[in-house]
């Protein structure tokens, strides 16, 4: 199973690597292999599905605020959408950002200090990146935070398909649409509500931003699928729709549930195949780039328990390299631009790392030949 048609599978298709997914094709995956089944297993019967990951996080923050917590302790190396979720989340959360190590992990000693200071009023948001578990030292710091009264929640957006996710205690949130061709989808596992939310089917009469977000995503992903296959459409057309969808999502203040089609397609994503193909691609690409000067993989080994979100590297002159890759139809995201609330004067190491970090795509749309092509492009442009 792949998410939509890839160019190499479609005669006349447009060869590109990375970028937004086309709409997920329905599949005949065994029920026990699907993303929905995996979520249900992880949640142990306590699952809420929302239109977005930030909606899931906002629901968690509201619940935690109602229980008296008001201090959110989180990595300074963070996606801006996490900070957007703190708006309209019950209270004005006091944010305590943590410095990071050269591998982009939060500083364990600082986590211990901040969580002990916050005590029972603290909510620690653990955010393992790129599918890799926290180090032993950071895991110990997380346990210390819990032992001293703070609640620990996990953002598993990057670790959702990794085996170690089963060992994360406490509430967990994740954005589902970052992994595959879903129009919407965010999960809250262990939040306490014990129900699955499903929003009404979007229609032309519904003018709320959540409904518009889903409708625009469906239209844009459908156009991208047609464009990738070589059938019809223009790249600018689907990009405009998908960018418009993100602006609509920025206007959502509540916690709208997942759409019916989003829920249906979570039962079409073959989680087993996703993990298998991503691991294969990661290892092929890792072997290919080891000898390229100026490119340093953050994780030079792939543990058995990891399903990689991407292959993160540090590259000198990152923006120039990224632009040249894009010109060759390889679109590599930056995770992430640093939010304005994490100033360079206080977090110089975060800004330095963020200016060099690039995520190389290894997702299930591709295979070893695509990874070899990406390796060749990196070798050509990085000089």
């Amino acid at each position: 199973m792949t998410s939509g048609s890839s160019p190499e599978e479609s005669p006349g298709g447009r060869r590109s690597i990375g970028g937004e997914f086309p709409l997920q094709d329905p599949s005949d995956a065994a029920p026990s292999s699907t993303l929905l089944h995996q979520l249900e297993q992880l949640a142990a019967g306590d699952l809420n599905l929302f239109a977005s990951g930030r909606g899931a996080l906002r629901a968690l923050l509201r619940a935690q605020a109602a229980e008296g917590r008001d201090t959110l302790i989180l990595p300074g190396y963070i996606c801006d959408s996490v900070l957007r979720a703190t708006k309209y989340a019950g209270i004005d959360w006091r944010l305590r950002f943590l410095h990071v190590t050269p591998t982009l992990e939060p500083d364990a000693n600082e986590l211990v200090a901040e969580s002990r200071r916050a005590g029972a009023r603290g909510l620690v948001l653990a955010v393992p990146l790129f599918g890799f578990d926290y180090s032993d030292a950071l895991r110990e710091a997380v346990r210390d935070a819990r032992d001293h009264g703070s609640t620990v929640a996990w953002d598993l957006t990057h670790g959702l398909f990794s085996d170690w996710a089963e060992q994360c205690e406490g509430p967990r949130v994740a954005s589902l649409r970052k992994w595959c061709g879903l129009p919407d989808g965010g999960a809250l596992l262990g939040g306490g509500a014990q129900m699955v939310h499903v929003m009404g089917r979007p229609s032309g009469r519904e003018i709320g931003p959540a409904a518009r977000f889903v409708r625009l995503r469906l239209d844009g992903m459908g156009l991208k699928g047609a464009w990738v296959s070589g059938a019809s459409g223009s790249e600018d057309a689907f990009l405009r729709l998908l960018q418009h969808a993100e602006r609509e999502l920025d206007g959502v203040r509540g916690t709208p549930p997942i759409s019916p089609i989003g829920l249906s397609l979570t039962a079409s994503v073959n989680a087993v195949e996703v993990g298998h193909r991503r691991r294969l691609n990661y290892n092929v690409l890792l072997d290919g780039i080891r000898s390229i000067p100026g490119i340093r993989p953050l994780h030079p080994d792939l543990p058995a328990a990891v399903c990689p979100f991407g292959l993160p590297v540090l590259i000198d002159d990152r923006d120039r390299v990224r632009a040249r890759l894009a010109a060759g139809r390889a679109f590599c995201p930056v995770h992430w631009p640093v939010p304005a609330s994490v100033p360079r004067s206080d977090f110089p190491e975060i800004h330095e790392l963020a200016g060099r970090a690039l995520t190389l795509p290894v997702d299930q749309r591709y295979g070893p030949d695509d990874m070899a092509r990406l390796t060749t492009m990196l070798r050509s442009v990085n000089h």
Side-chain angles (χ1 to χ4, degrees), residues 248-295:
E248 291 291 344
L249 180 59
D250 289 342
V252 175
R253 299 187 178 188
T255 58
I258 194 170
S259 67
I261 189 170
L263 178 61
S264 174
L265 289 176
T266 61
S268 287
V269 177
N270 188 329
V272 175
E273 184 68 10
V274 167
H276 171 75
R277 296 192 69 156
R278 283 176 178 260
R279 285 185 57 84
L280 173 63
N281 289 339
Y282 189 101
N283 281 321
V284 171
L285 185 56
L286 183 65
D287 287 344
I289 67 174
R290 286 187 193 275
S291 62
I292 302 179
I295 299 180

Side-chain angles (χ1 to χ4, degrees), residues 271-356:
V272 175
E273 184 68 10
V274 167
H276 171 75
R277 296 192 69 156
R278 283 176 178 260
R279 285 185 57 84
L280 173 63
N281 289 339
Y282 189 101
N283 281 321
V284 171
L285 185 56
L286 183 65
D287 287 344
I289 67 174
R290 286 187 193 275
S291 62
I292 302 179
I295 299 180
R296 181 170 74 83
L298 282 181
H299 298 283
D301 297 294
L302 185 63
V306 169
C307 173
F309 184 78
L311 199 165
V313 297
L314 297 178
I315 301 183
D316 298 328
D317 201 9
R318 189 271 315 276
D319 292 342
R320 179 190 64 83
V321 170
R322 185 183 184 217
R324 292 189 63 184
L325 289 172
R329 311 299 301 168
F331 304 103
C332 302
V334 171
H335 294 101
W336 298 280
V338 183
S341 50
V342 183
R344 181 183 293 272
S345 58
D346 295 334
F347 299 91
E349 85 288 358
I350 288 177
H351 283 260
E352 192 278 329
L353 289 166
R356 298 171 56 211

